[in-house]
Amino acid sequence: MNLRLPTFWKHVITVLGGALGAQALPLLAAPLITRMCTPAEMGAFSLWLAIVAVAAIGATLRMETAMILDHETEQQRTCFGLVLYTATITAVLVTALVTLAHLVDMPAIRQLSWPALLTVGVGTWLTANMQTTLAYATSHNAFGKAARAKVVGAGTIAVAQLLLLAAGIGAEGLLAGQLIGLGIGLIAARRLLHPPAARIGFILGAEARAYLVRHRKFWRYALPSNLLNNMVGQLPLFLIGMHHGALAAGLYALTQRVLAAPISLLAASVLEVFKRQSVHEFETHGHCKQAYRYTFKVLMLLGLAPSLVLLFYSPSLFAWVFGPAWRDAGELAQILAPLYFLNFVASPLSYVFFVTGKQNVDLWWQLTLCAVTVTAFLLPGTLHQNLLWFAIGYSMLYLVYLHMSWQCSQNRLAAA
């Protein structure tokens, strides 16, 4: 495939425009929010948000990813119906599970209030359906409309949280603002994109079951792989809260949020375009190495400068932007900056495993990463020492990941 670079950049800029709005608004609101709530309150809210993020992956069975490959209206209607069904069941189950965990006094979950426990399923349901709607937009190159929907949702979250915190509601203000923004963002996305209406029923129909069978690699390999990836991403927050307390968890939560911003903003924008380019090249030539190579260079170019700034100036920047109480979060950011640079480059390129049908390879890598993460945080030491071991092990695995994905883009990687 002769990759049209102007078209590539046009799509990236379109997605990036929406991502800028979606990420800039929360980041602009963050200095105000950090002065209106404590690190402990931020830690509890981030724990709730982490549970929602992981549960939403399971709620979709990763079927929304298959929608990129199926463009026919009836197939996409079936996908929407399937996700609606699984998201509803998952929402009920996750609410019951976290409530039970709270009743048995699980260390991490006991930090959550009852409003947080009873709304985790609602957040899961809204997030899963929003992810599916945005996948529909990607399948039709509707990047502009998806961008507007993201801005509406993110803007509503930021404004609602600030207003509720200013009203003195406290930690529940963060929670309520998130739910309000998720709901309005989903409504905006559906009105802008007009996806096919899902068929609703108490049991899965024959079409939905056939859809599951046809795309079984997604729930058999991609689902556990993505669950592991998200769990590993949130696992440090859980373990830090258990071993070092809510204050440390809140500091790490802000660090994670700031470092993840370039990934959510720039890398995710490139990923949306890479999905289309890689699928087209692979279907045409049996490989997608040209799209991979160009995307790799773009990610390196975009990610280097922000990572260097964070590496050298994080403590001072965090204290200045978020307040003196959050300077320690900047010290954590210095330790994690190289890791997040590798994450910025490698994560979007991992889509090549889906394109080439090598989801099982990605799954084995995620299992290894999970083991490395747990080991790093079980080692005795201070918070800084645990994070350093975590960053070293994770970074080494990312180098292996990049090598495997490059081989996969050439269709030269044998299935594990």
PDB file of all heavy atoms in Angstrom, residues 77-89 125 197-209:
ATOM      1  N   ARG A  77     -25.303  -3.739  13.951  1.00  0.00           N
ATOM      2  CA  ARG A  77     -26.472  -3.758  14.825  1.00  0.00           C
ATOM      3  C   ARG A  77     -26.386  -4.933  15.810  1.00  0.00           C
ATOM      4  O   ARG A  77     -26.695  -4.809  16.996  1.00  0.00           O
ATOM      5  CB  ARG A  77     -27.745  -3.859  13.995  1.00  0.00           C
ATOM      6  CG  ARG A  77     -29.031  -3.696  14.826  1.00  0.00           C
ATOM      7  CD  ARG A  77     -30.263  -4.099  14.013  1.00  0.00           C
ATOM      8  NE  ARG A  77     -30.294  -3.442  12.714  1.00  0.00           N
ATOM      9  CZ  ARG A  77     -30.739  -2.208  12.515  1.00  0.00           C
ATOM     10  NH1 ARG A  77     -31.184  -1.499  13.545  1.00  0.00           N
ATOM     11  NH2 ARG A  77     -30.747  -1.694  11.301  1.00  0.00           N
ATOM     12  N   THR A  78     -25.966  -6.087  15.292  1.00  0.00           N
ATOM     13  CA  THR A  78     -25.794  -7.267  16.148  1.00  0.00           C
ATOM     14  C   THR A  78     -24.750  -7.009  17.220  1.00  0.00           C
ATOM     15  O   THR A  78     -24.919  -7.388  18.380  1.00  0.00           O
ATOM     16  CB  THR A  78     -25.381  -8.479  15.294  1.00  0.00           C
ATOM     17  OG1 THR A  78     -26.403  -8.752  14.329  1.00  0.00           O
ATOM     18  CG2 THR A  78     -25.170  -9.709  16.160  1.00  0.00           C
ATOM     19  N   CYS A  79     -23.668  -6.344  16.840  1.00  0.00           N
ATOM     20  CA  CYS A  79     -22.607  -6.031  17.795  1.00  0.00           C
ATOM     21  C   CYS A  79     -23.115  -5.120  18.905  1.00  0.00           C
ATOM     22  O   CYS A  79     -22.839  -5.346  20.088  1.00  0.00           O
ATOM     23  CB  CYS A  79     -21.430  -5.386  17.072  1.00  0.00           C
ATOM     24  SG  CYS A  79     -19.999  -5.079  18.135  1.00  0.00           S
ATOM     25  N   PHE A  80     -23.865  -4.096  18.535  1.00  0.00           N
ATOM     26  CA  PHE A  80     -24.425  -3.185  19.543  1.00  0.00           C
ATOM     27  C   PHE A  80     -25.342  -3.932  20.503  1.00  0.00           C
ATOM     28  O   PHE A  80     -25.316  -3.714  21.713  1.00  0.00           O
ATOM     29  CB  PHE A  80     -25.183  -2.041  18.870  1.00  0.00           C
ATOM     30  CG  PHE A  80     -24.337  -0.856  18.529  1.00  0.00           C
ATOM     31  CD1 PHE A  80     -23.962  -0.596  17.223  1.00  0.00           C
ATOM     32  CD2 PHE A  80     -23.908   0.013  19.519  1.00  0.00           C
ATOM     33  CE1 PHE A  80     -23.177   0.502  16.898  1.00  0.00           C
ATOM     34  CE2 PHE A  80     -23.118   1.118  19.219  1.00  0.00           C
ATOM     35  CZ  PHE A  80     -22.756   1.361  17.900  1.00  0.00           C
ATOM     36  N   GLY A  81     -26.170  -4.817  19.963  1.00  0.00           N
ATOM     37  CA  GLY A  81     -27.073  -5.589  20.808  1.00  0.00           C
ATOM     38  C   GLY A  81     -26.323  -6.513  21.754  1.00  0.00           C
ATOM     39  O   GLY A  81     -26.696  -6.665  22.927  1.00  0.00           O
ATOM     40  N   LEU A  82     -25.268  -7.120  21.240  1.00  0.00           N
ATOM     41  CA  LEU A  82     -24.466  -8.028  22.057  1.00  0.00           C
ATOM     42  C   LEU A  82     -23.795  -7.279  23.205  1.00  0.00           C
ATOM     43  O   LEU A  82     -23.812  -7.724  24.359  1.00  0.00           O
ATOM     44  CB  LEU A  82     -23.410  -8.699  21.173  1.00  0.00           C
ATOM     45  CG  LEU A  82     -22.423  -9.642  21.860  1.00  0.00           C
ATOM     46  CD1 LEU A  82     -23.153 -10.783  22.543  1.00  0.00           C
ATOM     47  CD2 LEU A  82     -21.411 -10.173  20.844  1.00  0.00           C
ATOM     48  N   VAL A  83     -23.215  -6.121  22.908  1.00  0.00           N
ATOM     49  CA  VAL A  83     -22.547  -5.338  23.949  1.00  0.00           C
ATOM     50  C   VAL A  83     -23.557  -4.815  24.972  1.00  0.00           C
ATOM     51  O   VAL A  83     -23.286  -4.809  26.178  1.00  0.00           O
ATOM     52  CB  VAL A  83     -21.749  -4.170  23.330  1.00  0.00           C
ATOM     53  CG1 VAL A  83     -21.243  -3.225  24.413  1.00  0.00           C
ATOM     54  CG2 VAL A  83     -20.577  -4.698  22.512  1.00  0.00           C
ATOM     55  N   LEU A  84     -24.727  -4.397  24.510  1.00  0.00           N
ATOM     56  CA  LEU A  84     -25.763  -3.931  25.434  1.00  0.00           C
ATOM     57  C   LEU A  84     -26.140  -5.037  26.418  1.00  0.00           C
ATOM     58  O   LEU A  84     -26.308  -4.804  27.622  1.00  0.00           O
ATOM     59  CB  LEU A  84     -26.989  -3.473  24.651  1.00  0.00           C
ATOM     60  CG  LEU A  84     -28.159  -2.919  25.475  1.00  0.00           C
ATOM     61  CD1 LEU A  84     -27.738  -1.674  26.240  1.00  0.00           C
ATOM     62  CD2 LEU A  84     -29.341  -2.607  24.569  1.00  0.00           C
ATOM     63  N   TYR A  85     -26.247  -6.245  25.902  1.00  0.00           N
ATOM     64  CA  TYR A  85     -26.609  -7.400  26.727  1.00  0.00           C
ATOM     65  C   TYR A  85     -25.508  -7.704  27.750  1.00  0.00           C
ATOM     66  O   TYR A  85     -25.767  -7.831  28.955  1.00  0.00           O
ATOM     67  CB  TYR A  85     -26.854  -8.608  25.823  1.00  0.00           C
ATOM     68  CG  TYR A  85     -27.290  -9.869  26.532  1.00  0.00           C
ATOM     69  CD1 TYR A  85     -28.630 -10.083  26.834  1.00  0.00           C
ATOM     70  CD2 TYR A  85     -26.359 -10.839  26.874  1.00  0.00           C
ATOM     71  CE1 TYR A  85     -29.032 -11.246  27.485  1.00  0.00           C
ATOM     72  CE2 TYR A  85     -26.747 -12.005  27.522  1.00  0.00           C
ATOM     73  CZ  TYR A  85     -28.083 -12.206  27.821  1.00  0.00           C
ATOM     74  OH  TYR A  85     -28.480 -13.350  28.466  1.00  0.00           O
ATOM     75  N   THR A  86     -24.271  -7.827  27.273  1.00  0.00           N
ATOM     76  CA  THR A  86     -23.172  -8.184  28.168  1.00  0.00           C
ATOM     77  C   THR A  86     -22.841  -7.053  29.151  1.00  0.00           C
ATOM     78  O   THR A  86     -22.465  -7.313  30.303  1.00  0.00           O
ATOM     79  CB  THR A  86     -21.915  -8.543  27.362  1.00  0.00           C
ATOM     80  OG1 THR A  86     -21.542  -7.452  26.512  1.00  0.00           O
ATOM     81  CG2 THR A  86     -22.159  -9.789  26.513  1.00  0.00           C
ATOM     82  N   ALA A  87     -22.991  -5.804  28.719  1.00  0.00           N
ATOM     83  CA  ALA A  87     -22.717  -4.674  29.611  1.00  0.00           C
ATOM     84  C   ALA A  87     -23.718  -4.618  30.760  1.00  0.00           C
ATOM     85  O   ALA A  87     -23.362  -4.296  31.898  1.00  0.00           O
ATOM     86  CB  ALA A  87     -22.740  -3.367  28.828  1.00  0.00           C
ATOM     87  N   THR A  88     -24.973  -4.929  30.469  1.00  0.00           N
ATOM     88  CA  THR A  88     -26.001  -4.920  31.521  1.00  0.00           C
ATOM     89  C   THR A  88     -25.723  -6.004  32.559  1.00  0.00           C
ATOM     90  O   THR A  88     -25.795  -5.753  33.780  1.00  0.00           O
ATOM     91  CB  THR A  88     -27.391  -5.127  30.905  1.00  0.00           C
ATOM     92  OG1 THR A  88     -27.633  -4.091  29.927  1.00  0.00           O
ATOM     93  CG2 THR A  88     -28.470  -5.069  31.978  1.00  0.00           C
ATOM     94  N   ILE A  89     -25.393  -7.193  32.095  1.00  0.00           N
ATOM     95  CA  ILE A  89     -25.082  -8.286  33.030  1.00  0.00           C
ATOM     96  C   ILE A  89     -23.835  -7.954  33.848  1.00  0.00           C
ATOM     97  O   ILE A  89     -23.797  -8.144  35.072  1.00  0.00           O
ATOM     98  CB  ILE A  89     -24.885  -9.602  32.262  1.00  0.00           C
ATOM     99  CG1 ILE A  89     -26.210 -10.053  31.643  1.00  0.00           C
ATOM    100  CG2 ILE A  89     -24.326 -10.690  33.180  1.00  0.00           C
ATOM    101  CD1 ILE A  89     -26.106 -11.294  30.802  1.00  0.00           C
ATOM    102  N   TRP A 125     -21.471   0.408  32.741  1.00  0.00           N
ATOM    103  CA  TRP A 125     -22.424   0.322  31.633  1.00  0.00           C
ATOM    104  C   TRP A 125     -22.264   1.499  30.674  1.00  0.00           C
ATOM    105  O   TRP A 125     -22.218   1.318  29.447  1.00  0.00           O
ATOM    106  CB  TRP A 125     -23.842   0.284  32.181  1.00  0.00           C
ATOM    107  CG  TRP A 125     -24.902  -0.063  31.175  1.00  0.00           C
ATOM    108  CD1 TRP A 125     -25.383  -1.291  30.881  1.00  0.00           C
ATOM    109  CD2 TRP A 125     -25.615   0.864  30.329  1.00  0.00           C
ATOM    110  NE1 TRP A 125     -26.355  -1.212  29.906  1.00  0.00           N
ATOM    111  CE2 TRP A 125     -26.512   0.102  29.549  1.00  0.00           C
ATOM    112  CE3 TRP A 125     -25.584   2.247  30.159  1.00  0.00           C
ATOM    113  CZ2 TRP A 125     -27.365   0.675  28.610  1.00  0.00           C
ATOM    114  CZ3 TRP A 125     -26.423   2.829  29.217  1.00  0.00           C
ATOM    115  CH2 TRP A 125     -27.301   2.053  28.464  1.00  0.00           C
ATOM    116  N   ALA A 197     -29.855   0.916  15.780  1.00  0.00           N
ATOM    117  CA  ALA A 197     -30.487   0.590  17.059  1.00  0.00           C
ATOM    118  C   ALA A 197     -30.282  -0.886  17.378  1.00  0.00           C
ATOM    119  O   ALA A 197     -30.447  -1.750  16.516  1.00  0.00           O
ATOM    120  CB  ALA A 197     -31.978   0.921  17.009  1.00  0.00           C
ATOM    121  N   ALA A 198     -29.918  -1.164  18.627  1.00  0.00           N
ATOM    122  CA  ALA A 198     -29.655  -2.542  19.041  1.00  0.00           C
ATOM    123  C   ALA A 198     -30.953  -3.278  19.321  1.00  0.00           C
ATOM    124  O   ALA A 198     -31.932  -2.693  19.788  1.00  0.00           O
ATOM    125  CB  ALA A 198     -28.774  -2.552  20.292  1.00  0.00           C
ATOM    126  N   ARG A 199     -30.959  -4.560  19.004  1.00  0.00           N
ATOM    127  CA  ARG A 199     -32.089  -5.414  19.370  1.00  0.00           C
ATOM    128  C   ARG A 199     -31.899  -5.871  20.812  1.00  0.00           C
ATOM    129  O   ARG A 199     -30.851  -6.378  21.180  1.00  0.00           O
ATOM    130  CB  ARG A 199     -32.171  -6.620  18.435  1.00  0.00           C
ATOM    131  CG  ARG A 199     -32.402  -6.264  16.979  1.00  0.00           C
ATOM    132  CD  ARG A 199     -32.644  -7.527  16.137  1.00  0.00           C
ATOM    133  NE  ARG A 199     -32.836  -7.198  14.732  1.00  0.00           N
ATOM    134  CZ  ARG A 199     -31.858  -7.203  13.829  1.00  0.00           C
ATOM    135  NH1 ARG A 199     -30.629  -7.524  14.198  1.00  0.00           N
ATOM    136  NH2 ARG A 199     -32.100  -6.891  12.571  1.00  0.00           N
ATOM    137  N   ILE A 200     -32.927  -5.690  21.619  1.00  0.00           N
ATOM    138  CA  ILE A 200     -32.840  -5.982  23.044  1.00  0.00           C
ATOM    139  C   ILE A 200     -33.671  -7.218  23.367  1.00  0.00           C
ATOM    140  O   ILE A 200     -34.793  -7.372  22.896  1.00  0.00           O
ATOM    141  CB  ILE A 200     -33.336  -4.783  23.878  1.00  0.00           C
ATOM    142  CG1 ILE A 200     -32.534  -3.514  23.510  1.00  0.00           C
ATOM    143  CG2 ILE A 200     -33.214  -5.065  25.369  1.00  0.00           C
ATOM    144  CD1 ILE A 200     -33.051  -2.264  24.161  1.00  0.00           C
ATOM    145  N   GLY A 201     -33.114  -8.105  24.164  1.00  0.00           N
ATOM    146  CA  GLY A 201     -33.841  -9.303  24.578  1.00  0.00           C
ATOM    147  C   GLY A 201     -33.267  -9.857  25.866  1.00  0.00           C
ATOM    148  O   GLY A 201     -32.179  -9.476  26.301  1.00  0.00           O
ATOM    149  N   PHE A 202     -34.010 -10.763  26.501  1.00  0.00           N
ATOM    150  CA  PHE A 202     -33.561 -11.353  27.752  1.00  0.00           C
ATOM    151  C   PHE A 202     -32.504 -12.439  27.525  1.00  0.00           C
ATOM    152  O   PHE A 202     -31.762 -12.792  28.429  1.00  0.00           O
ATOM    153  CB  PHE A 202     -34.746 -11.939  28.519  1.00  0.00           C
ATOM    154  CG  PHE A 202     -35.664 -10.883  29.079  1.00  0.00           C
ATOM    155  CD1 PHE A 202     -36.873 -10.614  28.476  1.00  0.00           C
ATOM    156  CD2 PHE A 202     -35.291 -10.153  30.203  1.00  0.00           C
ATOM    157  CE1 PHE A 202     -37.715  -9.638  28.988  1.00  0.00           C
ATOM    158  CE2 PHE A 202     -36.124  -9.169  30.722  1.00  0.00           C
ATOM    159  CZ  PHE A 202     -37.344  -8.908  30.109  1.00  0.00           C
ATOM    160  N   ILE A 203     -32.450 -12.982  26.310  1.00  0.00           N
ATOM    161  CA  ILE A 203     -31.437 -13.973  25.967  1.00  0.00           C
ATOM    162  C   ILE A 203     -30.801 -13.573  24.639  1.00  0.00           C
ATOM    163  O   ILE A 203     -31.398 -12.830  23.844  1.00  0.00           O
ATOM    164  CB  ILE A 203     -32.036 -15.395  25.867  1.00  0.00           C
ATOM    165  CG1 ILE A 203     -33.118 -15.438  24.777  1.00  0.00           C
ATOM    166  CG2 ILE A 203     -32.575 -15.849  27.205  1.00  0.00           C
ATOM    167  CD1 ILE A 203     -33.628 -16.839  24.511  1.00  0.00           C
ATOM    168  N   LEU A 204     -29.604 -14.079  24.403  1.00  0.00           N
ATOM    169  CA  LEU A 204     -28.920 -13.785  23.149  1.00  0.00           C
ATOM    170  C   LEU A 204     -29.585 -14.531  22.001  1.00  0.00           C
ATOM    171  O   LEU A 204     -29.850 -15.737  22.097  1.00  0.00           O
ATOM    172  CB  LEU A 204     -27.452 -14.199  23.238  1.00  0.00           C
ATOM    173  CG  LEU A 204     -26.511 -13.284  24.031  1.00  0.00           C
ATOM    174  CD1 LEU A 204     -25.114 -13.875  24.058  1.00  0.00           C
ATOM    175  CD2 LEU A 204     -26.491 -11.886  23.447  1.00  0.00           C
ATOM    176  N   GLY A 205     -29.830 -13.827  20.901  1.00  0.00           N
ATOM    177  CA  GLY A 205     -30.417 -14.452  19.729  1.00  0.00           C
ATOM    178  C   GLY A 205     -29.396 -15.230  18.930  1.00  0.00           C
ATOM    179  O   GLY A 205     -28.186 -15.218  19.214  1.00  0.00           O
ATOM    180  N   ALA A 206     -29.863 -15.897  17.900  1.00  0.00           N
ATOM    181  CA  ALA A 206     -28.994 -16.728  17.065  1.00  0.00           C
ATOM    182  C   ALA A 206     -27.919 -15.884  16.374  1.00  0.00           C
ATOM    183  O   ALA A 206     -26.767 -16.315  16.247  1.00  0.00           O
ATOM    184  CB  ALA A 206     -29.829 -17.481  16.039  1.00  0.00           C
ATOM    185  N   GLU A 207     -28.292 -14.684  15.921  1.00  0.00           N
ATOM    186  CA  GLU A 207     -27.322 -13.828  15.233  1.00  0.00           C
ATOM    187  C   GLU A 207     -26.191 -13.417  16.173  1.00  0.00           C
ATOM    188  O   GLU A 207     -25.021 -13.393  15.782  1.00  0.00           O
ATOM    189  CB  GLU A 207     -28.022 -12.597  14.669  1.00  0.00           C
ATOM    190  CG  GLU A 207     -28.969 -12.894  13.519  1.00  0.00           C
ATOM    191  CD  GLU A 207     -29.606 -11.626  12.978  1.00  0.00           C
ATOM    192  OE1 GLU A 207     -29.351 -10.538  13.558  1.00  0.00           O
ATOM    193  OE2 GLU A 207     -30.346 -11.711  11.989  1.00  0.00           O
ATOM    194  N   ALA A 208     -26.558 -13.072  17.399  1.00  0.00           N
ATOM    195  CA  ALA A 208     -25.543 -12.660  18.367  1.00  0.00           C
ATOM    196  C   ALA A 208     -24.609 -13.820  18.709  1.00  0.00           C
ATOM    197  O   ALA A 208     -23.392 -13.639  18.825  1.00  0.00           O
ATOM    198  CB  ALA A 208     -26.211 -12.133  19.630  1.00  0.00           C
ATOM    199  N   ARG A 209     -25.177 -15.009  18.859  1.00  0.00           N
ATOM    200  CA  ARG A 209     -24.336 -16.174  19.155  1.00  0.00           C
ATOM    201  C   ARG A 209     -23.404 -16.484  17.989  1.00  0.00           C
ATOM    202  O   ARG A 209     -22.235 -16.833  18.176  1.00  0.00           O
ATOM    203  CB  ARG A 209     -25.217 -17.376  19.485  1.00  0.00           C
ATOM    204  CG  ARG A 209     -25.991 -17.232  20.789  1.00  0.00           C
ATOM    205  CD  ARG A 209     -26.545 -18.572  21.261  1.00  0.00           C
ATOM    206  NE  ARG A 209     -27.482 -19.133  20.306  1.00  0.00           N
ATOM    207  CZ  ARG A 209     -28.789 -18.903  20.295  1.00  0.00           C
ATOM    208  NH1 ARG A 209     -29.318 -18.082  21.209  1.00  0.00           N
ATOM    209  NH2 ARG A 209     -29.580 -19.464  19.400  1.00  0.00           N
TER     210      ARG A 209
END
